[in-house]
Amino acid sequence: MGVTFPPHQIHILAGASGSGKTTLLLQALASWERGQLFLGTIVPSKGVAYLVGDRTREEVDERVRHVGLARVKVFGIVDDLRNATSKIRALKYTPEKGLRDLIQEGFGDYDFDILVIDPIFLFLQGKIIDYQDIALSLITLNQFATERNLTLLATHHATKARTDFTFKRSQDRISGSSAFQGFSGTQMILIDTAESGLSTYDLHIIPHTSAPRTHSFVRGEDGYFIAVAKKSV
C-alpha cells in the first residue's frame, strides 16, 4: 500500500472508542512481521513492545494470538497491581519519567525496536487543547524515540462526531490541539461506519513524506479488518 513510517518518530492512529484501532494496529504489525504490506511498511528487526493503559493485558494478548503476531511483549498498566495507583497518578506530573519507568518494569531486557503506546493520552503533559503543551510533549517523545532507536506507534481518540458540520480535513478529527498534526510523523484516522454512514471503515493516512491516501475495509464476523477496493483521495 506504499506508505513508509519513518523510524525515530511517533506516528498517531486516531479513531473513536470502539472503532477497532487496536485490532487494526495488531493486524498491521503481524503483516509487517511476515514481510507483507498492510497500511504501509515498518521493518522491525527486533521485537514489538506493546504498552496498554485502557484495557487488560489479557485482552490484547488474545488478539495478538489470533493475528499470529510472534515477536511481541504486552505490558498492561492496569494489571500492575503492586503500586499501580501511585504510578498512574505520577504520570500526570512526569509522563516522560513514567514512560521510562513503565518500560523498564514491563519490558526489562526485552529487545524491541517498535513501541506501541495505547493510548498516548497518559503520556502527554498539560492540556490536550494547548498547542505548546502538546508540541512539547510530542517533541519529548520524538527525542525519546531517537535516543532509544525506536519507532513509536500511538493510539489516540478522535473528536466526537457532530451533525452540524463536517471536517474539511480528516486529520482535523484528531482530538485536541493541531500540534498533533505538526509534531507527529504520520497521522492515521480511522472512521467507522456508525460515524460515516457508509458500508466501509475508512482509514485516512496523512504522511509527511508523500501524498495522503485512503484505504477502505469491512470487518468480518471475528472483528478483523478486510481490505476492499481503495478510494481515491
Side-chain angles (χ1 to χ4, degrees):
M1 293 183 177
V3 176
T4 299
F5 300 100
H8 311 151
Q9 295 182 23
I10 184 166
H11 307 282
I12 306 289
L13 171 59
S17 179
S19 60
K21 297 186 296 296
T22 297
T23 297
L24 184 65
L25 187 52
L26 289 173
Q27 284 186 249
L29 288 166
S31 295
W32 296 334
E33 187 175 72
R34 293 189 289 265
Q36 301 168 347
L37 289 180
F38 187 88
L39 309 186
T41 57
I42 295 177
V43 183
S45 58
K46 301 176 184 177
V48 176
Y50 200 113
L51 181 62
V52 58
D54 60 354
R55 66 197 72 193
T56 65
R57 182 184 68 187
E58 182 179 3
E59 185 177 346
V60 177
D61 272 337
E62 182 179 1
R63 287 284 178 178
V64 166
R65 290 191 295 271
H66 284 175
V67 300
L69 182 57
R71 292 180 299 165
V72 63
K73 184 174 183 180
V74 181
F75 179 69
I77 296 174
V78 298
D79 299 296
D80 182 19
L81 302 180
R82 288 169 294 178
N83 47 11
T85 302
S86 61
K87 285 186 177 180
I88 292 170
R89 287 176 177 168
L91 288 175
K92 179 178 180 181
Y93 304 103
T94 56
E96 181 191 2
K97 182 179 184 301
L99 177 60
R100 293 176 184 272
D101 289 347
L102 287 167
I103 288 174
Q104 179 59 41
E105 179 171 346
F107 305 109
D109 296 329
Y110 176 66
D111 197 13
F112 59 94
D113 53 0
I114 294 179
L115 173 64
V116 177
I117 304 174
D118 184 6
I120 191 178
F121 183 80
L122 292 172
F123 303 97
L124 302 174
Q125 194 159 16
K127 296 181 179 179
I128 197 171
I129 60 172
D130 187 283
Y131 190 95
Q132 186 174 27
D133 285 347
I134 297 304
L136 292 175
S137 294
L138 293 175
I139 288 172
T140 299
L141 288 169
N142 281 319
Q143 290 174 332
F144 174 77
T146 301
E147 171 196 334
R148 295 288 297 266
N149 196 28
L150 297 174
T151 301
L152 305 184
L153 300 174
T155 67
H156 186 50
H157 288 296
T159 300
K160 291 182 179 180
R162 287 170 46 179
T163 58
D164 58 342
F165 73 95
T166 57
F167 293 95
K168 293 183 177 180
R169 305 182 307 164
S170 56
Q171 59 265 46
D172 293 333
R173 295 174 182 264
I174 299 175
S175 181
S177 167
S178 60
F180 278 108
Q181 302 163 27
F183 291 86
S184 62
T186 300
Q187 298 95 49
M188 297 166 281
I189 300 88
L190 179 62
I191 303 174
D192 64 21
T193 56
E195 181 177 348
S196 68
L198 302 175
S199 59
T200 58
Y201 290 73
D202 289 339
L203 181 74
H204 300 269
I205 304 179
I206 301 93
H208 275 183
T209 56
S210 59
R213 63 196 66 201
T214 299
H215 299 292
S216 297
F217 302 88
V218 295
R219 297 187 77 171
E221 293 183 359
D222 55 6
Y224 293 110
F225 289 87
I226 303 167
V228 296
K230 61 184 180 181
K231 301 177 178 181
S232 59
V233 177

Short mmCIF file of all heavy atoms in Angstrom, two decimals, residues 11-17 19-21 24 120 154-159 170-175 180 186-192 195 202-204:
data_model
loop_
_atom_site.label_atom_id
_atom_site.label_comp_id
_atom_site.label_asym_id
_atom_site.label_seq_id
_atom_site.Cartn_x
_atom_site.Cartn_y
_atom_site.Cartn_z
N HIS A 11 4.07 8.10 15.46
CA HIS A 11 3.01 8.09 14.47
C HIS A 11 1.68 7.84 15.19
O HIS A 11 1.62 7.01 16.11
CB HIS A 11 3.27 7.03 13.41
CG HIS A 11 4.63 7.13 12.80
ND1 HIS A 11 4.95 8.07 11.84
CD2 HIS A 11 5.78 6.44 13.03
CE1 HIS A 11 6.21 7.94 11.49
NE2 HIS A 11 6.74 6.95 12.21
N ILE A 12 0.65 8.55 14.80
CA ILE A 12 -0.62 8.57 15.53
C ILE A 12 -1.70 7.84 14.75
O ILE A 12 -1.92 8.11 13.56
CB ILE A 12 -1.08 10.01 15.78
CG1 ILE A 12 0.01 10.84 16.48
CG2 ILE A 12 -2.39 10.03 16.59
CD1 ILE A 12 0.26 10.48 17.90
N LEU A 13 -2.40 6.93 15.43
CA LEU A 13 -3.61 6.30 14.89
C LEU A 13 -4.77 6.75 15.76
O LEU A 13 -4.87 6.37 16.93
CB LEU A 13 -3.49 4.78 14.90
CG LEU A 13 -4.77 4.00 14.57
CD1 LEU A 13 -5.30 4.36 13.18
CD2 LEU A 13 -4.53 2.49 14.68
N ALA A 14 -5.65 7.58 15.19
CA ALA A 14 -6.77 8.14 15.94
C ALA A 14 -8.08 7.54 15.45
O ALA A 14 -8.23 7.20 14.27
CB ALA A 14 -6.81 9.66 15.79
N GLY A 15 -9.02 7.45 16.36
CA GLY A 15 -10.34 6.95 16.00
C GLY A 15 -11.24 6.97 17.22
O GLY A 15 -10.77 7.10 18.36
N ALA A 16 -12.53 6.84 16.99
CA ALA A 16 -13.48 6.82 18.09
C ALA A 16 -13.28 5.57 18.94
O ALA A 16 -12.77 4.54 18.46
CB ALA A 16 -14.91 6.86 17.54
N SER A 17 -13.67 5.64 20.19
CA SER A 17 -13.61 4.48 21.07
C SER A 17 -14.45 3.36 20.48
O SER A 17 -15.60 3.56 20.10
CB SER A 17 -14.12 4.87 22.46
OG SER A 17 -14.09 3.76 23.32
N SER A 19 -13.82 1.79 17.67
CA SER A 19 -13.77 1.75 16.20
C SER A 19 -12.87 0.64 15.67
O SER A 19 -12.92 0.30 14.48
CB SER A 19 -13.30 3.10 15.64
OG SER A 19 -12.01 3.42 16.11
N GLY A 20 -12.01 0.08 16.53
CA GLY A 20 -11.15 -1.01 16.10
C GLY A 20 -9.69 -0.65 15.93
O GLY A 20 -8.94 -1.36 15.24
N LYS A 21 -9.24 0.42 16.58
CA LYS A 21 -7.85 0.87 16.41
C LYS A 21 -6.84 -0.21 16.81
O LYS A 21 -5.89 -0.48 16.08
CB LYS A 21 -7.61 2.14 17.25
CG LYS A 21 -8.44 3.33 16.86
CD LYS A 21 -8.05 4.57 17.64
CE LYS A 21 -8.30 4.46 19.13
NZ LYS A 21 -9.74 4.32 19.46
N LEU A 24 -6.85 -3.15 14.30
CA LEU A 24 -6.21 -2.76 13.03
C LEU A 24 -4.70 -2.67 13.19
O LEU A 24 -3.94 -3.12 12.33
CB LEU A 24 -6.79 -1.43 12.56
CG LEU A 24 -6.29 -0.93 11.19
CD1 LEU A 24 -6.75 -1.86 10.08
CD2 LEU A 24 -6.79 0.49 10.93
N ILE A 120 -1.97 7.17 23.87
CA ILE A 120 -0.92 8.15 24.13
C ILE A 120 -1.30 9.16 25.21
O ILE A 120 -0.44 9.79 25.83
CB ILE A 120 -0.55 8.90 22.83
CG1 ILE A 120 0.73 9.71 23.03
CG2 ILE A 120 -1.69 9.76 22.34
CD1 ILE A 120 1.19 10.43 21.80
N ALA A 154 1.28 5.18 18.30
CA ALA A 154 0.42 5.56 19.42
C ALA A 154 -1.03 5.69 18.97
O ALA A 154 -1.31 6.25 17.92
CB ALA A 154 0.89 6.88 20.03
N THR A 155 -1.93 5.19 19.80
CA THR A 155 -3.36 5.38 19.53
C THR A 155 -3.85 6.61 20.28
O THR A 155 -3.31 7.00 21.31
CB THR A 155 -4.19 4.16 19.95
OG1 THR A 155 -4.16 4.02 21.37
CG2 THR A 155 -3.67 2.90 19.28
N HIS A 156 -4.90 7.21 19.72
CA HIS A 156 -5.46 8.42 20.31
C HIS A 156 -6.93 8.51 19.91
O HIS A 156 -7.36 7.85 18.95
CB HIS A 156 -4.68 9.65 19.81
CG HIS A 156 -5.08 10.93 20.48
ND1 HIS A 156 -5.15 11.07 21.84
CD2 HIS A 156 -5.43 12.14 19.95
CE1 HIS A 156 -5.51 12.32 22.13
NE2 HIS A 156 -5.70 12.97 21.00
N HIS A 157 -7.68 9.30 20.64
CA HIS A 157 -9.10 9.44 20.34
C HIS A 157 -9.34 10.49 19.25
O HIS A 157 -8.54 11.41 19.08
CB HIS A 157 -9.88 9.82 21.60
CG HIS A 157 -10.00 8.68 22.56
ND1 HIS A 157 -10.67 7.53 22.28
CD2 HIS A 157 -9.50 8.52 23.82
CE1 HIS A 157 -10.60 6.71 23.31
NE2 HIS A 157 -9.89 7.28 24.25
N ALA A 158 -10.42 10.32 18.56
CA ALA A 158 -10.86 11.31 17.57
C ALA A 158 -11.95 12.16 18.20
O ALA A 158 -12.64 11.75 19.14
CB ALA A 158 -11.39 10.61 16.32
N THR A 159 -12.09 13.37 17.67
CA THR A 159 -13.14 14.27 18.13
C THR A 159 -14.50 13.65 17.87
O THR A 159 -14.74 13.05 16.82
CB THR A 159 -13.04 15.62 17.40
OG1 THR A 159 -11.75 16.19 17.68
CG2 THR A 159 -14.12 16.57 17.85
N SER A 170 -9.43 15.22 7.13
CA SER A 170 -9.61 14.09 8.04
C SER A 170 -8.76 14.22 9.30
O SER A 170 -9.18 13.84 10.40
CB SER A 170 -9.27 12.78 7.32
OG SER A 170 -7.97 12.82 6.80
N GLN A 171 -7.56 14.82 9.19
CA GLN A 171 -6.70 14.95 10.35
C GLN A 171 -7.25 15.92 11.40
O GLN A 171 -6.82 15.90 12.55
CB GLN A 171 -5.28 15.36 9.95
CG GLN A 171 -5.15 16.66 9.19
CD GLN A 171 -5.13 16.45 7.69
OE1 GLN A 171 -5.93 15.70 7.16
NE2 GLN A 171 -4.19 17.10 7.01
N ASP A 172 -8.22 16.75 11.00
CA ASP A 172 -8.84 17.65 11.97
C ASP A 172 -9.73 16.90 12.96
O ASP A 172 -10.18 17.48 13.95
CB ASP A 172 -9.66 18.72 11.25
CG ASP A 172 -8.79 19.67 10.45
OD1 ASP A 172 -7.62 19.86 10.82
OD2 ASP A 172 -9.27 20.22 9.44
N ARG A 173 -9.96 15.62 12.71
CA ARG A 173 -10.74 14.80 13.64
C ARG A 173 -9.93 14.41 14.87
O ARG A 173 -10.50 13.95 15.87
CB ARG A 173 -11.21 13.53 12.93
CG ARG A 173 -12.19 13.76 11.79
CD ARG A 173 -12.48 12.46 11.06
NE ARG A 173 -13.38 12.65 9.94
CZ ARG A 173 -14.70 12.46 9.98
NH1 ARG A 173 -15.25 12.07 11.12
NH2 ARG A 173 -15.44 12.64 8.91
N ILE A 174 -8.62 14.52 14.80
CA ILE A 174 -7.78 14.13 15.94
C ILE A 174 -8.12 15.04 17.13
O ILE A 174 -8.06 16.26 17.03
CB ILE A 174 -6.29 14.23 15.59
CG1 ILE A 174 -5.96 13.29 14.44
CG2 ILE A 174 -5.43 13.91 16.81
CD1 ILE A 174 -4.54 13.41 13.93
N SER A 175 -8.45 14.43 18.25
CA SER A 175 -8.90 15.19 19.41
C SER A 175 -7.77 16.02 20.00
O SER A 175 -6.66 15.52 20.23
CB SER A 175 -9.44 14.22 20.47
OG SER A 175 -9.90 14.92 21.60
N PHE A 180 -0.83 17.94 17.26
CA PHE A 180 -0.75 16.51 16.94
C PHE A 180 -0.37 16.30 15.48
O PHE A 180 0.31 15.34 15.13
CB PHE A 180 -2.09 15.83 17.22
CG PHE A 180 -2.30 15.47 18.66
CD1 PHE A 180 -3.21 16.18 19.43
CD2 PHE A 180 -1.60 14.44 19.25
CE1 PHE A 180 -3.42 15.85 20.76
CE2 PHE A 180 -1.78 14.11 20.58
CZ PHE A 180 -2.70 14.82 21.35
N THR A 186 3.36 10.52 11.00
CA THR A 186 2.25 10.15 10.14
C THR A 186 0.98 10.10 10.98
O THR A 186 1.00 9.55 12.08
CB THR A 186 2.48 8.77 9.49
OG1 THR A 186 3.68 8.83 8.71
CG2 THR A 186 1.32 8.37 8.60
N GLN A 187 -0.09 10.68 10.47
CA GLN A 187 -1.37 10.59 11.16
C GLN A 187 -2.27 9.64 10.39
O GLN A 187 -2.35 9.69 9.16
CB GLN A 187 -2.06 11.96 11.26
CG GLN A 187 -1.28 13.00 12.05
CD GLN A 187 -0.46 13.89 11.15
OE1 GLN A 187 -0.95 14.42 10.16
NE2 GLN A 187 0.80 14.07 11.50
N MET A 188 -2.92 8.76 11.13
CA MET A 188 -3.90 7.82 10.57
C MET A 188 -5.21 8.01 11.31
O MET A 188 -5.22 8.01 12.54
CB MET A 188 -3.40 6.38 10.70
CG MET A 188 -2.12 6.09 9.94
SD MET A 188 -1.35 4.53 10.44
CE MET A 188 -0.54 5.04 11.97
N ILE A 189 -6.28 8.20 10.58
CA ILE A 189 -7.58 8.45 11.19
C ILE A 189 -8.55 7.39 10.71
O ILE A 189 -8.83 7.27 9.51
CB ILE A 189 -8.11 9.86 10.85
CG1 ILE A 189 -7.15 10.94 11.36
CG2 ILE A 189 -9.49 10.07 11.48
CD1 ILE A 189 -6.06 11.33 10.38
N LEU A 190 -9.05 6.59 11.65
CA LEU A 190 -9.98 5.51 11.34
C LEU A 190 -11.40 5.99 11.59
O LEU A 190 -11.74 6.39 12.70
CB LEU A 190 -9.68 4.29 12.20
CG LEU A 190 -10.58 3.07 12.01
CD1 LEU A 190 -10.48 2.53 10.58
CD2 LEU A 190 -10.23 1.99 13.03
N ILE A 191 -12.22 5.97 10.55
CA ILE A 191 -13.61 6.43 10.65
C ILE A 191 -14.52 5.22 10.48
O ILE A 191 -14.49 4.55 9.43
CB ILE A 191 -13.92 7.49 9.57
CG1 ILE A 191 -12.94 8.66 9.71
CG2 ILE A 191 -15.36 7.98 9.71
CD1 ILE A 191 -13.06 9.69 8.60
N ASP A 192 -15.32 4.93 11.51
CA ASP A 192 -16.13 3.72 11.45
C ASP A 192 -17.46 3.99 10.74
O ASP A 192 -17.81 5.13 10.42
CB ASP A 192 -16.34 3.12 12.84
CG ASP A 192 -17.13 4.03 13.77
OD1 ASP A 192 -17.85 4.92 13.30
OD2 ASP A 192 -17.02 3.82 14.99
N GLU A 195 -20.15 6.41 12.24
CA GLU A 195 -19.94 7.84 12.08
C GLU A 195 -20.15 8.29 10.64
O GLU A 195 -20.76 9.34 10.39
CB GLU A 195 -18.52 8.22 12.52
CG GLU A 195 -18.23 9.71 12.40
CD GLU A 195 -16.86 10.09 12.91
OE1 GLU A 195 -16.21 9.25 13.56
OE2 GLU A 195 -16.45 11.23 12.65
N ASP A 202 -13.16 3.55 6.88
CA ASP A 202 -12.18 4.25 6.05
C ASP A 202 -11.01 4.73 6.91
O ASP A 202 -11.21 5.36 7.95
CB ASP A 202 -12.82 5.45 5.35
CG ASP A 202 -13.78 5.01 4.25
OD1 ASP A 202 -13.65 3.86 3.80
OD2 ASP A 202 -14.66 5.80 3.87
N LEU A 203 -9.82 4.39 6.46
CA LEU A 203 -8.61 4.81 7.14
C LEU A 203 -7.91 5.85 6.28
O LEU A 203 -7.45 5.55 5.17
CB LEU A 203 -7.68 3.62 7.38
CG LEU A 203 -6.39 3.99 8.12
CD1 LEU A 203 -6.66 4.24 9.60
CD2 LEU A 203 -5.34 2.89 7.95
N HIS A 204 -7.81 7.07 6.79
CA HIS A 204 -7.12 8.16 6.10
C HIS A 204 -5.70 8.24 6.64
O HIS A 204 -5.49 8.35 7.85
CB HIS A 204 -7.85 9.48 6.32
CG HIS A 204 -9.26 9.47 5.82
ND1 HIS A 204 -9.61 9.87 4.55
CD2 HIS A 204 -10.42 9.10 6.43
CE1 HIS A 204 -10.91 9.76 4.38
NE2 HIS A 204 -11.43 9.28 5.51
#
